[in-house]
Amino acid sequence: MEKAIEVSRLWKIFGRDVDHIELNQETISQLEESDEYIAAVCDMSFSVNKGEVFVVMGLSGSGKSTLIRCLLRLIEPTAGSIRINGYDVCGLDQEELTKFRRQQVAMVFQHYGLLPHRTVLENVGFGLKLQGVPEKERLDLSHAWIERVGLQGFENYYPDQLSGGMQQRVGIARALACDPPVLLMDEPFSGLDPLIRREMQEQLCRLQHGMQKTIFFVTHDLEEGMRLGDRMAVMRGGRFVQIGTPEEIIANPADDYVASFVQDKRNASQEVELCSLKH
Amino acid sequence: MFPEALEFHVSGSINNLVEWMLHTFRGFFDWVAEAILGMLMFLNDALSILPWWAYLLIVCILAWLTTRRVATTVTLTLLPLIIGIFGLWELAINTLAIILAAAFISILVGIPLGVLIAESPIAAGFIRPLLDLMQTMPSFVYLIPAVIFFGLGYVPAVFATIIYSLPPIIRLTDLGLNQVSEDVIEAALSCGATRWQLLREVQLPLAVPSILAGINQTTMMALAMVVVAAMIGGGGLGYEVLRAINRIDVGSGFEAGISVVILAIIIDRLTQGLAKRWEPPTVNNS
């Protein structure tokens, strides 16, 4: 199967003068003992297939937000290589990186990251404006996407006048308006209340059905990961402890950590079975 | 007593340095002086053309546009009348011209400097301590270099006022740019914004309320300095205050002082109102 994202031996270490560290067995074990350095992403290698929804699940502090930011170099990786659609992301210079971000990837953020001084319409067209797309085309595309995410009638509102769910719809429309093949989503629905979250997940599924994008989705919510993910990875301490389909992970947790993570889910499904047996 | 052998004077060298600068940069100082004077005269003439009631009208319209409150608008509109009644109208216009000239130049220089120190840590390392120094110095100190380089008159008064009123606009531009939330910057970068686009499309527009607060502060500082600058020939209301002090004439000192205060209130309210208007609407005030 064709790969959209290929990551190999990726490291991100936070600390002073990290850039000068040569990574080898010896320094890595030193790093792990020292208090001055924190490895948020440890020697990660994985790949994501084209058109697949890949969910990374982990608790806060597991390094998942750092990982997703490394993919488009919002955070500079310390070592390793990232290939997205054939682009060697770590090797791009500033100009190429800008072009890569404009055309190949788009990101949706937990806190929306909307421009408070721009209307919904202008926010959706922001990426297009940066690319220098002519105004008429920009407006047409923005209107089309506003309609697709169900925000027609709110074009001239400002972000602070909208609810969280609606703001995130703007965020999604902004990301999709540039029509990138890869979509990165960093806990996009975590700040929303459960009903809205459910609705947004369903909408994302519907959108994805029509687009077949490669989606890299970060969440701390198992339920969400299971609903959306074609494949799922459980992350802990900067490493993936298990990768597989949601069903595989629930059926065969790789270790106690994953087991405790999915336990509620197993209990719940057992209860459902029990209930259905009774009736 | 302190041993005379340990004394060491730098005053001679400083005097020499100033002499040398005056001599070497004569052309530059002349050019600056001419530019400042030309601008001041233009402003003064332009402001003098307007009849007194036109000012009331302008204040009234601006006050209504920026505050939308009847009481504030009426008060601000009637206040300038007091200046006229005290017979200080023309002097107030002179003062206003100096304030506007100095504030305009300060803003023109200050905003780019603010952007520079927000963007470049190296520039910040040089400029920030300088700003600290400028803000701890008593305002009278600024009169000295102004007099040395430009003699007495309007030009040194404007020059000293510029130097004195420069720090707030630089600092608040810097602050405004740094206060832009990391989320928004990250989002703009992920959309593929270049550094220049980030500054123009995201950081500067979001820093505008802070920059407007800086403009307000800079204008108020300019007003404060204009009164002091009367000592080196700034003229205007400040000179009236100075003369009252020399003659121990409390009455006319009061009249001139009140006029300065009125000018300050009007400028302050109008520029502050402008800053409030700029905030994007939220759920609460839509």
Side-chain angles (χ1 to χ4, degrees), chain B residues 31-286:
Chain B
W31 178 80
V32 172
E34 218 154 284
I36 291 179
L37 195 65
M39 185 176 164
L40 186 64
M41 286 302 130
F42 169 77
L43 265 172
N44 204 18
D45 290 347
L47 291 174
S48 303
I49 289 173
L50 291 176
W52 63 273
W53 47 265
Y55 282 95
L56 300 195
L57 200 67
I58 291 171
V59 171
C60 180
I61 293 169
L62 285 180
W64 176 249
L65 286 180
T66 53
T67 64
R68 305 266 165 176
R69 285 165 62 176
V70 178
T72 316
T73 307
V74 171
T75 317
L76 286 181
T77 310
L78 293 182
L79 275 177
L81 277 178
I82 298 174
I83 300 179
I85 289 168
F86 286 159
L88 296 171
W89 189 268
E90 210 184 323
L91 293 176
I93 297 297
N94 292 344
T95 298
L96 187 65
I98 299 182
I99 294 172
L100 289 182
F104 179 73
I105 296 174
S106 283
I107 291 161
L108 216 61
V109 176
I111 292 179
L113 277 178
V115 173
L116 183 70
I117 64 174
E119 290 288 303
S120 147
I122 298 169
F126 282 107
I127 297 174
R128 284 224 183 93
L130 206 64
L131 291 177
D132 291 337
L133 187 75
M134 283 167 80
Q135 288 187 304
T136 45
M137 278 214 276
S139 50
F140 288 93
V141 174
Y142 294 110
L143 300 178
I144 299 169
V147 169
I148 290 172
F149 291 122
F150 298 107
L152 292 172
Y154 289 121
V155 174
V158 174
F159 180 79
T161 308
I162 291 170
I163 302 292
Y164 185 69
S165 63
L166 201 51
I169 183 72
I170 300 180
R171 277 194 199 280
L172 282 156
T173 303
D174 175 33
L175 179 75
L177 292 174
N178 281 321
Q179 268 179 346
V180 174
S181 105
E182 202 55 44
D183 292 334
V184 179
I185 291 179
E186 216 173 31
L189 284 178
S190 81
C191 289
T194 60
R195 201 170 166 182
W196 168 242
Q197 283 177 327
L198 187 67
L199 188 65
R200 201 190 54 189
E201 302 282 338
V202 181
Q203 289 177 294
L204 273 179
L206 289 176
V208 164
S210 178
I211 293 175
L212 286 176
I215 290 177
N216 169 275
Q217 286 298 302
T218 284
T219 320
M220 298 315 288
M221 299 274 280
L223 178 74
M225 191 61 189
V226 153
V227 177
V228 175
M231 293 171 71
I232 55 170
L237 290 173
Y239 183 67
E240 210 50 32
V241 175
L242 198 66
R243 203 167 60 177
I245 294 171
N246 286 339
R247 293 181 183 171
I248 322 183
D249 181 352
V250 180
S252 45
F254 176 81
E255 287 186 354
I258 285 290
S259 302
V260 172
V261 171
I262 289 172
L263 215 53
I265 292 174
I266 294 172
I267 295 174
D268 182 49
R269 291 293 127 176
L270 292 186
T271 45
Q272 257 188 36
L274 205 65
K276 285 210 187 83
R277 279 285 120 188
W278 192 270
E279 311 262 325
T282 62
V283 182
N284 303 321
N285 66 4
S286 57

Side-chain angles (χ1 to χ4, degrees), chain A residues 44 54-60 62-65 67 185 187 216-227 231-244 246 249-250 257-263 265:
Chain A
M44 290 183 82
F54 186 81
V55 174
V56 173
M57 204 186 63
L59 299 178
S60 44
S62 60
K64 55 195 195 311
S65 284
L67 172 64
M185 304 183 94
E187 303 207 29
F216 188 90
F217 193 104
V218 165
T219 182
H220 62 241
D221 179 359
L222 179 69
E223 197 95 22
E224 184 167 78
M226 292 188 47
R227 187 168 298 134
R231 279 196 307 150
M232 200 159 98
V234 181
M235 192 167 178
R236 183 195 191 189
R239 292 186 167 87
F240 283 164
V241 284
Q242 189 173 9
I243 303 182
I249 289 178
I250 294 214
Y257 178 74
V258 182
S260 66
F261 220 116
V262 300
Q263 193 173 29
K265 191 70 201 166

Side-chain angles (χ1 to χ4, degrees), chain A residues 69 72 74 98 101-102 107 109 111 113-118 126 129-130 158 160-161 174, chain B residues 183-184 186-194 197 200-202 205-206 280-283 286:
Chain A
R69 279 168 176 72
L72 72 172
L74 283 177
T98 301
R101 286 171 177 167
R102 285 178 184 178
M107 188 156 168
F109 296 85
H111 301 292
L114 302 176
L115 305 174
H117 62 295
R118 298 286 170 83
F126 183 67
K129 188 176 180 190
L130 293 180
Y158 286 89
D160 285 347
Q161 295 172 301
R174 173 177 68 187
Chain B
D183 292 334
V184 179
E186 216 173 31
L189 284 178
S190 81
C191 289
T194 60
Q197 283 177 327
R200 201 190 54 189
E201 302 282 338
V202 181
L206 289 176
T282 62
V283 182
S286 57

Side-chain angles (χ1 to χ4, degrees), chain A residues 1-5 47-54 84-86 104 181-182 208 211-215 230-231:
Chain A
M1 189 163 312
E2 214 177 336
K3 307 286 186 216
I5 304 175
S47 60
V48 178
N49 299 325
K50 207 159 239 179
E52 145 179 88
V53 180
F54 186 81
I84 295 182
N85 287 331
Q104 298 299 322
V182 175
Q208 169 65 356
M211 326 180 280
Q212 295 301 315
K213 304 257 182 221
T214 306
I215 300 181
D230 295 321
R231 279 196 307 150

